[in-house]
């Protein structure tokens, strides 16, 4: 049985509602999110909750924006593990790391991931700091590939769409599709194949020699 969220401290009701919403989505998925229920969790009237959020969509957009920041944290945790000094290999491994970090979050936080996916149009207007946007972080990593001569400038155009489509699709089929019952090892092997395919396609734009073992570390 889930214990109710502790009462909020005076002046922190908006933040308390957001934290309660994150907990609720983790427990029940995005469909179970309702302002009235959250108000009960933090021991206030539903009218008090509506003073901070116009409606459920307003709250969902705020929570989804926070989730995007958490995805960035997961991506950056993987990026921190890339330690090679070779500039080309480093850039290649950083691209693979962003993909792994994105999938890591989807696997460990499926409820929050589903909410963010269902709210992408609203999320774009809630992220005030670009550094908390996974798409911006991905773009910076792709720019590094161009900078080290591994990816051509022409192939760089809209490369975010290619990479995001691949890892996002992989994330979806991992939590709601045919890979749902896979072991962690099986999923890692399958994701490696996806990341290798992207790496090879980008190497081909500049004729770069690549080593798969190097990419996988």
């Amino acid at each position: 049985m889930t214990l109710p969220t502790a009462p909020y401290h005076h002046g922190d009701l908006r933040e308390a509602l957001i934290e309660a919403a994150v907990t609720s989505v983790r427990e029940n998925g995005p469909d179970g999110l309702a302002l009235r229920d959250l108000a009960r969790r933090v021991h206030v009237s539903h009218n008090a909750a509506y003073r901070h959020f116009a409606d459920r969509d307003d709250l969902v957009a705020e929570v989804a924006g926070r989730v995007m920041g958490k995805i960035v944290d997961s991506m950056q945790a993987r990026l921190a593990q890339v330690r090679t000094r070779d500039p080309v290999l480093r850039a290649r491994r950083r691209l693979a790391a962003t993909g792994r970090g994105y999938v890591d979050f989807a696997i460990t936080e499926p409820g929050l991931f589903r909410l963010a996916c269902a709210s992408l149009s609203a999320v774009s207007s809630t992220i005030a700091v670009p550094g908390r946007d996974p798409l911006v972080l991905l773009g910076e990593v792709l720019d590094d590939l161009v900078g080290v001569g591994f990816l051509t400038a022409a192939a760089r155009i809209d490369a975010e769409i290619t990479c995001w489509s691949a890892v996002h699709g992989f994330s979806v089929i991992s939590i709601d599709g045919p890979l749902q019952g896979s072991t962690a090892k099986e999923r890692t092997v399958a994701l490696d194949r996806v990341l290798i395919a992207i790496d090879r396609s980008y190497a081909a734009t500049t004729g770069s020699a690549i080593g798969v073992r190097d990419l996988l570390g």
Side-chain angles (χ1 to χ4, degrees):
M1 179 177 179
T2 302
L3 296 175
T5 302
Y8 75 98
H9 297 290
H10 181 69
D12 294 336
L13 178 54
R14 180 181 176 86
E15 192 62 29
L17 287 167
I18 294 171
E19 291 178 2
V22 170
T23 300
S24 176
V25 172
R26 279 177 171 150
E27 295 172 352
N28 308 309
D31 293 339
L33 190 61
L35 268 173
R36 285 178 178 270
D37 292 338
L38 298 181
R40 283 194 289 269
R41 279 178 178 261
V42 297
H43 312 291
V44 298
S45 70
H46 66 272
N47 288 333
Y50 278 104
R51 294 192 190 104
H52 293 273
F53 299 99
D55 51 30
R56 181 183 182 278
D57 290 343
D58 189 22
L59 172 63
V60 167
E62 179 67 32
V63 174
R66 299 291 180 93
V67 172
M68 287 298 179
K70 292 178 182 296
I71 293 174
V72 168
D73 290 340
S74 183
M75 294 164 72
Q76 288 179 331
R78 283 285 191 168
L79 286 171
Q81 298 174 20
V82 178
R83 302 188 183 280
T84 179
R85 294 183 178 181
D86 179 272
V88 176
L89 183 56
R90 181 175 184 273
R92 292 169 58 205
R93 285 185 177 177
R94 279 172 58 82
L95 179 62
T98 60
R100 291 192 181 98
Y102 189 92
V103 174
D104 286 345
F105 183 85
I107 299 301
T108 57
E109 295 282 11
L112 294 176
F113 181 77
R114 292 184 185 104
L115 179 138
C117 292
S119 313
L120 287 176
S121 61
V123 172
S124 61
S125 64
T126 66
I127 300 177
V129 182
R132 305 300 289 163
D133 185 340
L135 195 59
V136 171
L137 179 56
L138 173 59
E140 292 171 353
V141 173
L142 287 165
D143 287 343
D144 288 344
L145 282 173
V146 176
V148 298
F150 189 77
L151 176 67
T152 65
R156 168 67 183 83
I157 299 172
D158 291 334
E160 288 94 340
I161 297 174
T162 302
C163 295
W164 197 3
S165 297
V167 297
H168 182 79
F170 187 91
S171 298
V172 170
I173 66 173
S174 292
I175 62 175
D176 291 320
L179 294 182
Q180 188 174 7
S182 300
T183 65
K185 183 176 180 179
E186 290 170 339
R187 193 166 51 243
T188 296
V189 170
L191 179 58
D192 283 346
R193 293 193 183 105
V194 173
L195 299 175
I196 289 168
I198 293 173
D199 185 69
R200 284 175 172 166
S201 69
Y202 288 168
T205 68
T206 54
S208 300
I210 61 171
V212 170
R213 289 186 180 179
D214 290 340
L215 177 68
L216 299 180

